[in-house]
């Protein structure tokens, strides 16, 4: 390395006022979601005197949504969208039930098959997006119809899973102390979030996801494997959906062809409320977890209120979604620098 | 100064390069050689084949004919990634980095410094990135998002990325990359201001002294004479010649580039008629907080008013205010004597104001539409979608403007994106002229286009003004503003600091001093 000879003056390196700096911090939306969650939780505890299990239950009751939202986070970070999530969850549950009940496949093997099928399905949609340049919206819409149709082909009726091992797993509770507990599904969800955070922030694949979401053209010219990564994120989403399907079966102990209809929209809402930019390139998977918890808390509070009808859940979700999209605009996370 | 001594072995030698696109022979029989430790200008008009040659070298295009030797060994480059691994790095005109990621990350994207298990070592990444940038004389917060820095800094980061292999070779061995031997800078200075160019040049000199061969593509002749050692000139896809910069003066260079005498460039004598009648546009204390301080401005028919000022001095902001693209928050505006409040570009357009954006790729040309569709756009917009312009009228108009502005190739059905920058600019001009505006605002109409096309566009502007159009002409090139304008508005730090009546005593030097001091109100 050569010693610097003529040191050039450093060009104006934005002497940002502190406020602007805070506003431009990418973690702000996640912090806002966390704050919102805490405030809502505080309000709920105060007004309805939540018992200690309410918190863990948010995770227990929404574990499949957390897992699905993690997959969707990958896709949205890379600038895409995945509408097939709900159908893949429904199909995965049906496939698992069918394999165990009708073909007597051991539960563990059946689970592996389901995960493989889900991943392959996601990769297939990713391939459509990458190779044939089908817009992600359309490619995954075909997935939405295809997998829903396939689950109905497997059976028109729900298939109860009465496998002893599955039942045991479903009823296993991990004590947290103080009489509270987490289910196996909730643990799986937490592990999924942790693994996703690791992949996104500490591996090449993860950083490529962000790069592609920021500017696919640039990523291409930087010599990044854009095609592989894009197929990869849909495969990840397919895997997560399949995993969510498995957890869903654990949760209700049956496969139903009409399960999880429209769940992709909840997952997308959770991701956006969690502060991930819909245009890609910015966001955190932890935010998506918080987003799901906030959605869960809305449900809890409204059912605790008792007098409010259930559609208020949707109304609040809509309002919150709008608020967070506006927040994204205000923060101007993608504010380009012209000068 | 690099000598073409018999003993010096070129680091890169391209021989007999040919490339054809459909019926167009983009390159034929081009030879190009590059010596280690030189800055080599690649020159030519738009469409001369510069970009094609660069893309052939970096593996974006396959070669039809010819061969490439790197360090005396024949090589075949099949994609940009491979080129980079061989030591050929490119920085494109538009900064091709990810603004949403940090500075450090942008430098190391795709060859992250990883530890065991493929885990990215962030602390090391940031440290190495900071060291690397320090060598370039840049002290940045490498953990900050790239997008939070000015374009010039982003450009330097792009260069740092391009030569990164030299910084810490051991860490990037996974890719088997070798040190950068050839660095290609494609129009790196087009969006930089004077100081930023100086920083860039000092970095280039340092890299040259370290033995890197740099290919420099630029339309600014001054810069070429300032920094380059040798140059290769292309014209119409063929090699014109290779010269030492010291051996060829500017007039000779321009002559070789365009292959004809620069006719009429000096003949744009000002029509010194004083402005007649009411002003076409009168702004009084018009301003916008954060955009431009309140200013007064008058534009008369047949008058060209130039705006001079550094990048970011508020030139574009002023223009956008007059066009209604941004809303003013103070002052008054009158067009053709009538006071108006511009609620958006459509109100300005309805009153005969036309605006050609500086950002012709992003804000002007729609590359996937044909030349015809692009030209007719503003006219159709003005009529509303319920009243389509009859097709034969469209064809007639388009043909007339293609001929009048000499748009080449003269094929209205071609995708506009396939045309060169200069011709795209002419399409934009045609689009607005077809609506018969009273006032034409041109924001950097000649940026990034070649000398010949530049002269043509200037001539066109002068002719339009002679026909009665009022023109607001914004350009970073003082010489151009001086040549065209009757009145020159000088901007500094987002305010209009002076209005100069163009005359013998007004020189580039004079304007520069005004920009520097802000006097002469």
């Amino acid at each position: 390395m050569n010693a610097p000879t003529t040191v050039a003056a450093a060009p104006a390196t934005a002497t940002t006022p502190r406020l602007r700096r805070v506003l431009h911090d990418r973690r702000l939306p996640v912090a806002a979601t966390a704050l919102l969650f805490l405030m809502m939780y505080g309000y709920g505890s105060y007004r309805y005197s939540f018992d200690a299990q309410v918190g863990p239950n948010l995770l227990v009751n929404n574990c499949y949504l957390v897992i699905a939202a993690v997959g969707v986070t990958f896709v949205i970070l890379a600038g895409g969208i995945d509408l097939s999530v709900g159908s893949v969850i429904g199909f995965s549950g049906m496939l698992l039930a069918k394999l165990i009940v009708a073909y007597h496949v051991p539960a563990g093997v059946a689970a592996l098959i389901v995960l493989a099928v889900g991943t392959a399905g996601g990769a297939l949609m990713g391939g459509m997006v990458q190779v044939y340049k089908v817009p992600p919206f359309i490619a995954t819409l075909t997935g939405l119809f295809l997998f829903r149709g396939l689950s109905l082909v497997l059976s028109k009726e729900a298939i109860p899973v009465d496998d002893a091992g599955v039942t045991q797993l479903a009823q296993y509770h991990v004590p947290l102390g103080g009489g509270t507990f987490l289910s196996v599904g909730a643990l799986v969800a937490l592990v999924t979030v942790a693994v996703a955070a690791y992949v996104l922030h500490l591996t090449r694949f993860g950083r490529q996801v962000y790069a592609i979401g920021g500017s696919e053209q640039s990523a291409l010219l930087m010599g990044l494997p854009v095609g592989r990564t894009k197929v990869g994120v849909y495969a990840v989403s397919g895997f997560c959906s399949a995993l969510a399907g498995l957890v869903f079966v654990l949760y209700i102990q049956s496969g139903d062809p009409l399960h999880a209809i429209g769940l992709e929209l909840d997952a997308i809402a959770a991701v956006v409320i969690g502060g991930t930019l819909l245009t890609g390139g910015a966001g955190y998977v932890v935010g998506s977890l918080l987003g799901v918890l906030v959605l869960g808390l809305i449900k809890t509070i409204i059912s605790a209120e008792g007098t409010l009808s259930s559609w208020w859940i949707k109304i609040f979700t809509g309002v919150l979604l709008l608020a967070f999209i506006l927040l994204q605009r205000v923060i101007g996370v993608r504010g380009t620098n012209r000068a | 100064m690099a000598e073409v001594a018999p003993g010096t072995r070129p680091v890169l030698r391209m021989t007999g390069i040919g490339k054809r696109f459909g019926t167009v022979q983009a390159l034929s029989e081009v030879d190009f050689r590059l010596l280690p430790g030189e800055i080599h200008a690649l020159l030519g008009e738009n469409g001369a084949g510069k970009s094609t040659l660069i893309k052939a070298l970096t593996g974006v295009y396959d070669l039809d004919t010819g061969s490439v030797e790197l360090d005396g060994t024949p090589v075949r480059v099949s994609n940009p990634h491979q080129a980079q691994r061989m030591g050929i790095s490119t920085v494109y005109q538009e900064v091709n980095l990810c603004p949403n990621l940090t500075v450090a990350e942008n430098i190391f994207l795709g060859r992250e410094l990883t530890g065991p298990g493929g885990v990215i070592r962030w602390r090391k990444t940031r440290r190495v990135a900071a060291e690397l940038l320090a060598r370039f004389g840049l002290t940045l917060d490498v953990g900050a998002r790239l997008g939070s820095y000015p374009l010039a800094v982003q450009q330097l980061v792009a260069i740092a990325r391009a030569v990164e292999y030299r910084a810490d070779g051991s860490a990037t061995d996974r890719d088997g990359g070798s040190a950068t031997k050839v660095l290609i800078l494609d129009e790196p200075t087009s969006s930089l201001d004077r100081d930023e160019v100086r920083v860039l040049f000092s970095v280039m000199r340092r890299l040259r002294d370290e033995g890197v061969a740099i290919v420099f593509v630029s339309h600014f002749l001054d810069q070429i004479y300032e920094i380059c050692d040798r140059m290769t000139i292309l014209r119409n896809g063929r090699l014109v010649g290779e010269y030492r910069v010291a051996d060829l003066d500017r007039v000779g260079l321009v002559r070789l580039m365009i292959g004809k005498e620069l006719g009429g460039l000096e003949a744009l004598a000002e029509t010194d008629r004083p402005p007649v009648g009411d002003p076409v546009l009168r702004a009084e204390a018009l301003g916008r907080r954060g955009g431009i301080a309140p200013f007064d401005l008058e534009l008369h028919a047949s008058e060209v008013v130039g705006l001079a000022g550094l990048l970011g001095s508020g030139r574009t902001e002023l223009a956008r205010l007059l066009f209604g693209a941004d809303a003013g928050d103070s002052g008054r505006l009158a067009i053709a004597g009538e006071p108006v409040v511009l609620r958006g570009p459509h109100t300005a357009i309805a009153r005969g104001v036309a605006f050609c954006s500086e950002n012709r790729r992003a804000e002007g040309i729609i590359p996937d539409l044909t030349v015809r569709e692009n030209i007719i756009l503003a006219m159709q917009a003005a009529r509303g979608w319920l009243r389509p312009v009859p097709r034969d009228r469209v064809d007639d108009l388009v043909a007339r403007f293609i001929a009048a502005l000499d748009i080449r190739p003269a094929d209205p059905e071609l995708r506009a994106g396939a045309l060169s920058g200069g011709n795209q600019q002419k399409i934009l001009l045609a689009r607005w002229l077809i609506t018969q505006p009273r006032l034409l605002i041109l924001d950097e109409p000649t940026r990034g286009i070649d000398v010949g096309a530049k002269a043509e566009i200037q001539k066109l502007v002068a002719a339009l003004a002679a026909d009665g159009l009022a023109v607001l002409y914004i350009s970073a090139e003082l010489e151009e503003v001086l040549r065209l304008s009757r009145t020159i508005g000088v901007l500094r730090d987002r305010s209009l600091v002076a209005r100069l009546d163009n005359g013998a005593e007004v020189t580039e030097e004079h304007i520069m001093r005004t920009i520097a001091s802000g006097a002469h109100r």
Side-chain angles (χ1 to χ4, degrees), chain B residues 120-150:
Chain B
I120 297 174
R121 302 175 63 186
W122 285 115
R123 204 171 298 159
K124 182 172 181 192
T125 300
R126 282 195 289 270
R127 182 170 51 77
V128 176
E131 283 168 12
L132 180 71
L133 289 171
R135 290 195 327 138
F136 285 14
L138 279 173
T139 36
L140 307 180
D141 174 7
V142 293
R145 280 189 307 117
L146 181 75
S148 64
Y149 285 105

Side-chain angles (χ1 to χ4, degrees), chain A residues 6 26 201-202 204 207 281, chain B residues 100 105 120 122 145 206:
Chain A
T6 54
R26 314 231 106 181
H201 297 286
L202 290 173
R204 291 185 181 213
R207 301 324 291 169
Chain B
N100 59 322
E105 200 167 356
I120 297 174
W122 285 115
R145 280 189 307 117
R206 191 175 307 164

